[in-house]
Amino acid sequence: MIKVGHLVKKYDKVTAVNDISFTVHPGEVTVLLGPNGAGKSTAIKSIAGLLNYKGEITICGMPNKSIEAKRVFGYVPEIPALFDLMTIWDHVQFIAKAYRLEEGWQEEAEQLLKRFEILDKKDSLSRELSKGMLQKVSIVLALMIKPKAVLFDEPLIGLDPKAISEMLAVFGELKQKGVSILISTHIIDTISDIWDRAYIMNKGSIVYETTREGTNGKDLKSLFFEMTDVNGAEVSA
Amino acid sequence: MNAVVYLLARQYANRIRRLFRKPLNALLTIIAALFILSGPILMLVIPEFYEGLVGARGREIAVAGVQLFIGMTLVLSSLSQQGGLFTYSEASILFSAPLTKRTILLYSTLQSLPGSILTSIFMCFYFPWLIGSAMTPLKLLATLLVMALLIFCIFILYYYIYIQDIAHEGLKKRLKKYLWIFFGAVAVIYAVIWLTNGHDFGEAAITFFTSPIYNAFPLFGWAKWAVAALLNDQFITGFIPATLLLLVSAFVLARIYYSQDVDFYEKAQLDSIRLQKVVDALRNNGYDAAGLTVKKVVKAKGSFREGAAAIMSRQFLEMKKRGPMLAFRDFINGSIYLVVGLAVGFDFTIVFTMIVFSMIVNTTTDSWNAEFRKPYIYLIPESPFRKLMYAVLPSIVKNMLAESIIVVIAAILLGAGAREAVFSVLLLAAYTLLFTSAGVFTYRIMGHMTNAVLLMFMRLMFIMAAAIPGGVIAIVLNLAAGIEDPVMLMIPVILANLLCSLLFMFLSRKLLVQSELMN
């Protein structure tokens, strides 16, 4: 479970996230929606412990910046941040050793690479890969630690249709395993079948929250437009 | 034409405005400008202030040395296969706009002018300190013009060769080969002069660089001739003809470049993507630029240690992949200082000081800096202090090894005793620890700054300031206690540096928890 309490993040005089609180439950897909600049990525980075903020964040009951919490959550950044001179497999080895993964990680990592169709590229340097492939590597690195909570910051951008469908299947499997999943995304249509809980952000605040059951038949996209008062061009269909 | 001038003017106006956008930025920009102008200002206020580091004998060699060092760096990088004409954002505008090929060529010609002036200012910063009061502010201004012309010619030549390489495949490769043959020939000539000058490295350098044949050599020779004549007050017989030669060359080269008819769009567009990445990385203080500019990546497999030590294994693997030339750039830099020291006749202490100063700049771009820009060091479930230690360890080891070898060679060649050599290596190790720990600490106090150039400048200033306690102790012991034995002066400096390093590391122990991911 991920618990965010009264999170505030300011950049100089700009308040990027303004006192938001929410919970990501185990076995649920929680989505953070909002127009550009709403504060979604800032919120996710704060949860991942990459920013300084005010408020309280726990992951599986442990403070998010503690070593124990870091062991159990995975993070997929919005922009893949890989090392140019390292191959995909170098990255995999690096994460496996840094997280002290148990024996057998090689086979599991290979399975994940195969699933995202990048196994044949495992000896390619990351600087030789396309943006979509880099995104796939980031996803594999976050999943190979077998997380209990995963933070996905715009995970579908740059992925091809096959990878998107694989990603959706992965979300389903993680749900089955009881993993808490938090996704920030613009691509509402694509996640419309898998979300369980949604928080709509605008100008740094949560302006609406709902569960799939609580929408009274309205679709998520309509709710998004209603709550953020933006035109259709803001959202990729 | 108007659009091109407008585009360039806006780019530079925005860059300048950004430097003064906030009061702190403006203040730091002024401090940086004063730092660069400190030499000429001092010479203006106190005309007979200083004899210069190289003395009267070494002036011409110093001028030629600075020109060759920066000029040849530009020439060699321009002949590499990793070049490009425009960044992606420039290429997107220029190639999609209704502009003729010539207008685009004009853009790159005009773009070279401010670049040449800025590089020239960077080169001229050294002259007042090297040459002393003989380089008056007015003469420095004239030198700035000469240097700008030289750099402009190199830039235009680079652009010209880049485009001609598209029409005549393999041209760059052939030119690079001929350049190395030329270097070999020059080295042989120099060796002959050295042999016939009583095996004196300094005398050979004076004979070589003051020779009229060197002055006659296109571009580099003319530029040195102009500045040397300026220093000797030979305006009519030296400065004016040499500057005119450079001016005519710049004009002719620009004309030839502008008139060529080669379809360079596709190649320039392809290269622009990589060039944009390099520029972006450089704007981010250059931490990732090295990874993008490495042409041949050595095939290497690494074995990763467990936990936080995996960060260290990762960096060692990257070093292996970069190959020895790039991984040991400190060694190469140190070698250059040693050669300059031998040519100008510096003693061991000055060469050692130059090596120590070069380490300050290296610290700000060492591989651990890149680590702070990626999320993994923050995410790995290990103690923040252990992660930090393992992140900086490879750079410390690399710097100590590379620089120690140079210091030992310098001690042998410049006649320092064995005792002094051993303690110099220990002092160097203490400086490596001090600069690295001070560099890490700067992230705690300045990590939030967004202006990359100013951040770099402030970090450099802070790292330099970290060496003050040790320096003050040495001066006090020398002046107050009358200690002159270099080794006896080194010991307290080593201890002071180690103490300061420990303090900085202690203050940075929670850096990876308290600081933010830097983008």
Side-chain angles (χ1 to χ4, degrees):
Chain A
M1 183 186 289
I2 301 169
K3 270 193 165 184
V4 176
H6 304 290
L7 175 65
V8 178
K9 172 64 194 171
K10 289 183 180 179
Y11 293 106
D12 290 329
K13 288 172 190 167
V14 179
T15 305
V17 173
N18 188 14
D19 194 19
I20 63 167
S21 300
F22 62 90
T23 304
V24 181
H25 295 272
E28 277 190 7
V29 173
T30 302
V31 288
L32 266 184
L33 304 172
N36 295 332
K40 305 181 300 290
S41 286
T42 304
I44 290 217
K45 277 186 187 164
S46 300
I47 299 168
L50 302 174
L51 298 177
N52 291 329
Y53 55 85
K54 279 185 186 164
E56 203 177 316
I57 302 171
T58 59
I59 296 173
C60 299
M62 298 164 287
N64 66 332
K65 289 194 177 182
S66 67
I67 296 173
E68 293 75 18
K70 285 176 194 287
R71 262 190 208 117
V72 296
F73 81 83
Y75 166 66
V76 179
E78 184 182 5
I79 300 162
L82 303 177
F83 297 96
D84 290 308
L85 296 184
M86 282 172 63
T87 64
I88 294 182
W89 194 248
D90 290 334
H91 280 90
V92 167
Q93 280 182 295
F94 170 56
I95 293 298
K97 290 292 181 179
Y99 278 76
R100 301 175 193 270
L101 298 187
E102 288 170 7
E103 271 311 306
W105 60 263
Q106 289 94 335
E107 292 74 28
E108 284 167 30
E110 280 188 359
Q111 276 303 313
L112 279 167
L113 293 174
K114 197 173 174 185
R115 207 169 163 179
F116 284 98
E117 299 188 314
I118 46 173
L119 183 60
D120 58 328
K121 301 271 180 204
K122 75 173 192 174
D123 292 323
S124 302
L125 296 175
S126 67
R127 71 174 188 178
E128 296 162 356
L129 303 176
S130 68
K131 188 177 177 287
M133 283 181 188
L134 292 173
Q135 182 74 340
K136 290 176 183 178
V137 179
S138 284
I139 294 166
V140 169
L141 297 179
L143 296 180
M144 62 181 280
I145 65 165
K146 294 184 184 162
K148 288 182 181 164
V150 204
L151 313 166
F152 291 98
D153 195 355
E154 301 286 0
L156 305 175
I157 289 182
L159 295 186
D160 54 58
K162 168 85 171 51
I164 289 177
S165 116
E166 207 55 59
M167 195 67 244
L168 295 176
V170 168
F171 289 147
E173 288 162 28
L174 290 171
K175 251 171 92 165
Q176 291 289 316
K177 289 178 188 165
V179 175
S180 308
I181 306 157
L182 178 64
I183 307 168
S184 111
T185 185
H186 272 129
I187 309 176
I188 301 177
D189 287 347
T190 312
I191 48 110
S192 60
D193 290 336
I194 56 143
W195 70 278
D196 297 297
R197 194 176 293 270
Y199 294 94
I200 299 176
M201 288 184 74
N202 198 13
K203 295 173 185 167
S205 301
I206 291 178
V207 290
Y208 186 75
E209 62 175 278
T210 183
T211 57
R212 178 179 283 279
E213 296 76 30
T215 55
N216 296 325
K218 280 191 178 176
D219 67 48
L220 201 52
K221 202 168 175 178
S222 312
L223 282 168
F224 175 84
F225 289 141
E226 232 172 80
M227 294 302 148
T228 56
D229 194 28
V230 293
N231 58 44
E234 280 284 338
V235 181
S236 324
Chain B
M1 168 73 180
N2 284 348
V4 160
V5 173
Y6 176 79
L7 187 63
L8 277 168
R10 286 311 310 163
Q11 277 185 33
Y12 282 95
N14 286 341
R15 273 180 210 168
I16 292 166
R17 204 169 52 186
R18 203 165 163 253
L19 289 173
F20 293 94
R21 202 173 45 186
K22 289 178 183 172
L24 180 66
N25 282 3
L27 180 71
L28 294 174
T29 305
I30 292 164
I31 292 172
L34 285 175
F35 179 71
I36 291 171
L37 292 172
S38 54
I41 289 172
L42 217 58
M43 305 309 161
L44 191 67
V45 177
I46 322 167
E48 296 305 319
F49 163 72
Y50 174 57
E51 263 204 10
L53 197 61
V54 296
R57 257 178 100 234
R59 277 177 197 164
E60 284 196 44
I61 304 168
V63 172
V66 172
Q67 287 173 344
L68 279 174
F69 179 61
I70 299 179
M72 290 320 291
T73 308
L74 286 174
V75 170
L76 284 173
S77 62
S78 70
L79 287 180
S80 80
Q81 299 300 306
Q82 296 278 327
L85 271 187
F86 306 112
T87 60
Y88 184 68
S89 46
E90 283 172 329
S92 308
I93 296 171
L94 293 170
F95 294 146
S96 59
L99 299 172
T100 63
K101 209 184 286 175
R102 285 200 159 191
T103 313
I104 294 173
L105 289 175
L106 181 71
Y107 175 88
S108 56
T109 313
L110 292 176
Q111 192 192 31
S112 312
L113 283 170
S116 310
I117 294 166
L118 284 174
T119 315
S120 172
I121 290 172
F122 173 67
M123 286 164 84
C124 286
F125 165 74
Y126 294 100
F127 286 133
W129 303 109
L130 283 171
I131 291 164
S133 304
M135 182 61 93
T136 62
L138 263 180
K139 285 182 180 176
L140 188 66
L141 218 58
T143 306
L144 191 86
L145 169 77
V146 171
M147 293 296 184
L149 284 172
L150 173 69
I151 303 292
F152 179 76
C153 290
I154 295 171
F155 278 154
I156 293 297
L157 264 175
Y158 159 60
Y159 290 143
Y160 182 72
I161 293 167
Y162 175 86
I163 291 177
Q164 285 301 313
D165 187 60
I166 299 167
H168 309 97
E169 213 181 318
L171 177 74
K172 268 202 230 175
K173 226 175 184 176
R174 285 197 299 276
L175 283 174
K176 204 170 178 178
K177 199 170 78 185
Y178 296 142
L179 193 67
W180 283 113
I181 293 170
F182 175 72
F183 283 160
V186 171
V188 170
I189 294 168
Y190 191 87
V192 171
I193 297 172
W194 178 69
L195 283 169
T196 52
N197 271 276
H199 300 86
D200 187 320
F201 211 84
E203 279 303 324
I206 290 171
T207 312
F208 183 83
F209 286 112
T210 55
S211 150
I213 300 170
Y214 185 87
N215 286 355
F217 194 78
L219 302 183
F220 285 102
W222 299 338
K224 195 234 82 192
W225 179 26
V227 181
L230 198 65
L231 290 172
N232 296 325
D233 295 329
Q234 296 163 348
F235 300 107
I236 310 289
T237 53
F239 174 71
I240 293 172
T243 309
L244 277 176
L245 278 170
L246 281 170
L247 197 66
V248 170
S249 306
F251 181 77
V252 171
L253 283 170
R255 192 77 189 86
I256 294 171
Y257 173 71
Y258 179 67
S259 308
Q260 59 190 331
D261 188 24
V262 176
D263 185 4
F264 56 89
Y265 281 30
E266 191 184 341
K267 174 91 166 68
Q269 212 157 12
L270 278 173
D271 285 342
S272 72
I273 299 165
R274 192 190 40 76
L275 202 62
Q276 183 72 51
K277 281 187 184 173
V278 174
V279 170
D280 290 344
L282 286 170
R283 278 181 191 152
N284 251 339
N285 289 333
Y287 309 134
D288 287 340
L292 291 162
T293 49
V294 177
K295 190 187 159 199
K296 277 184 192 164
V297 178
V298 178
K299 280 203 169 178
K301 294 258 178 226
S303 60
F304 289 84
R305 292 180 64 188
E306 291 218 314
I311 297 167
M312 180 181 72
S313 310
R314 195 202 67 70
Q315 286 190 34
F316 278 131
L317 175 62
E318 242 179 25
M319 279 184 200
K320 273 195 228 168
K321 292 193 177 199
R322 281 182 185 166
M325 286 296 275
L326 277 164
F328 288 95
R329 60 173 184 173
D330 315 345
F331 181 80
I332 295 160
N333 286 348
S335 310
I336 292 167
Y337 292 128
L338 177 57
V339 171
V340 171
L342 284 166
V344 179
F346 288 155
D347 66 12
F348 174 69
T349 314
I350 296 179
V351 172
F352 180 78
T353 311
M354 284 161 73
I355 292 170
V356 168
F357 265 98
S358 76
M359 282 164 59
I360 296 175
V361 181
N362 291 347
T363 306
T364 58
T365 53
D366 266 331
S367 55
W368 56 266
N369 290 281
E371 210 77 55
F372 291 175
R373 308 250 151 195
K374 312 275 182 194
Y376 299 105
I377 194 165
Y378 303 89
L379 298 173
I380 289 168
E382 292 284 329
S383 132
F385 187 63
R386 289 188 71 193
K387 286 192 281 188
L388 188 63
M389 288 290 102
Y390 279 118
V392 296
L393 203 59
S395 297
I396 291 175
V397 171
K398 183 199 70 171
N399 291 347
M400 277 188 190
L401 273 176
E403 306 287 12
S404 297
I405 294 168
I406 285 294
V407 166
V408 171
I409 296 171
I412 294 166
L413 292 178
L414 297 168
R419 193 164 144 265
E420 193 180 348
V422 170
F423 276 90
S424 296
V425 169
L426 290 175
L427 182 59
L428 191 88
Y431 272 121
T432 308
L433 287 174
L434 177 74
F435 294 154
T436 308
S437 58
V440 168
F441 183 66
T442 56
Y443 278 107
R444 206 189 135 177
I445 51 173
M446 303 170 194
H448 59 280
M449 282 173 68
T450 47
N451 188 321
V453 179
L454 286 175
L455 175 63
M456 174 70 95
F457 176 74
M458 290 304 289
R459 292 188 69 212
L460 281 172
M461 290 293 106
F462 186 88
I463 297 167
M464 272 188 218
I468 289 175
V472 169
I473 290 173
I475 291 168
V476 168
L477 285 176
N478 180 244
L479 295 179
I483 299 173
E484 287 189 353
D485 179 4
V487 170
M488 292 308 288
L489 289 172
M490 278 184 210
I491 293 170
V493 180
I494 292 172
L495 292 174
N497 286 353
L498 289 177
L499 270 174
C500 289
S501 309
L502 283 174
L503 178 70
F504 286 134
M505 276 308 185
F506 176 77
L507 294 172
S508 309
R509 68 195 186 283
K510 289 184 180 167
L511 178 78
L512 292 175
V513 180
Q514 289 164 341
S515 70
E516 302 194 335
L517 171 69
M518 295 144 205
N519 287 315

